[in-house]
Amino acid sequence: MKVLVTGGAGFIGSQVTDSLIEKGYKVTVVDDLSTGKRTFINPKAKFYHLDIRDSRLKAVFSEERPDILCHYAAQASVQKSVEDPVHDADINIFGTLILLKLALSHGAKKCIFASTAGAIYGEQEAFPADETHPARPISPYGAAKLAAESYLYYYHAVYGLDYIVLRYASVYGPRQDSLAEAGMVATITEHMLGGKSPTVSGDGEQTRDFIFIDDAVAANLAAIDFSGSDIFNIGTGIETSINQLFQHIADLSGVRVEKTSVPAKKGEPRRSVISPEKAIKALHWQPKTSLPEGLRKTIEYFSSIRKET
């Protein structure tokens, strides 16, 4: 079976690609390398260095004829979406539409879409939030992801293209970009290992649901095997404050540095934690990695990177 992975040189997409290849799938990667790294691309994957809005993408679909589209390419910064909503929509809405149209016209049967939980639910009224929680984005990024989900439903209802939406919590782990806005774990870890003061926005009492990369990737594989179309939260159901996260990393790394506080950022919810129960039951998937175990593996990865450089 053929799978096309957009964003396959990125943090999550590259590791989804690795797992698909390990399972015997023939994988094509499309990535513009704006944030992804060429070194992350599995050598057994066929790689096209393209933006998802590039007109040459049509030729890729014509050549590769994927059965499944795994869409991980995105403008993934909440703050950049706040600063430039049009640019965010151009990539995350228009780019997704281009892909869906090409996938449908070239025989793809299914799309697995990497969405977001925190940015879509906004300021939650229930904890943890399940998939029936009102979608009230407080950032253009969240609004664009929600719009893309609506287009997926449209293509399914009208044209029969199956889809699975994975509303990810805060994914962390090896290969995460410490310069990326969403790379909170990576940023704190790298700063601590370098003896620098990590930056924490607001009072640090804002909470997130942290899910390890291996569990996030496993959800994608489970989604491929799922028959039908649906939306699933992919998280742990465990709420952790940024201050608690900071302390966990300090304890596991053995490094003691002071954190630097900066003003809270616009567009980010105060509390975010999601229920994975639906995915556990329907996808036969579950998060297996505890936060301490995942952080330990992440610290080991960044420590090894520092030794290599």
Side-chain angles (χ1 to χ4, degrees), residues 49-254:
H49 186 184
L50 288 175
D51 186 293
I52 58 172
R53 298 163 295 173
D54 196 304
S55 61
R56 291 173 293 175
L57 197 59
K58 182 178 180 179
V60 174
F61 275 85
S62 296
E63 175 69 21
E64 303 302 332
R65 298 278 173 176
D67 302 293
I68 298 172
L69 168 66
C70 290
H71 181 23
Y72 281 83
Q75 189 300 109
S77 167
V78 170
Q79 290 310 305
K80 286 182 180 178
S81 80
V82 171
E83 294 164 6
D84 192 348
V86 174
H87 177 68
D88 180 82
D90 189 37
I91 297 172
N92 292 344
I93 300 178
F94 185 61
T96 298
L97 273 173
I98 291 172
L99 285 167
L100 293 178
K101 184 177 180 180
L102 288 172
L104 185 68
S105 63
H106 290 86
K109 303 301 181 185
K110 189 174 193 175
C111 175
I112 297 173
F113 178 60
S115 191
T116 173
I120 279 183
Y121 297 132
E123 294 294 357
Q124 291 179 210
E125 59 185 34
F127 305 88
D130 64 17
E131 292 82 355
T132 66
H133 189 285
R136 291 190 288 239
I138 57 173
S139 68
Y141 170 72
K145 285 289 190 178
L146 184 59
E149 290 186 10
S150 297
Y151 278 112
L152 281 163
Y153 178 79
Y154 161 73
Y155 273 94
H156 170 68
V158 177
Y159 298 106
L161 179 66
D162 282 340
Y163 70 91
I164 296 293
V165 170
L166 301 177
R167 287 180 175 170
Y168 284 116
S170 297
V171 185
Y172 72 97
R175 297 189 193 174
Q176 189 170 33
D177 187 353
S178 63
L179 299 178
E181 176 194 335
M184 193 180 309
V185 171
T187 301
I188 293 175
T189 301
E190 280 215 319
H191 275 72
M192 281 193 177
L193 294 177
K196 300 177 182 178
S197 176
T199 298
V200 174
S201 61
D203 61 6
E205 287 304 303
Q206 62 270 36
T207 63
R208 295 295 181 265
D209 184 337
F210 293 99
I211 183 165
F212 190 59
I213 181 63
D214 290 359
D215 294 328
V217 169
N220 186 284
L221 294 177
I224 287 179
D225 294 333
F226 181 79
S227 178
S229 298
D230 214 333
I231 296 173
F232 297 101
N233 284 341
I234 305 300
T236 68
I238 300 171
E239 194 172 8
T240 302
S241 74
I242 306 308
N243 287 335
Q244 289 173 323
L245 176 71
F246 181 92
Q247 192 60 52
H248 278 312
I249 297 174
D251 291 343
L252 289 165
S253 66

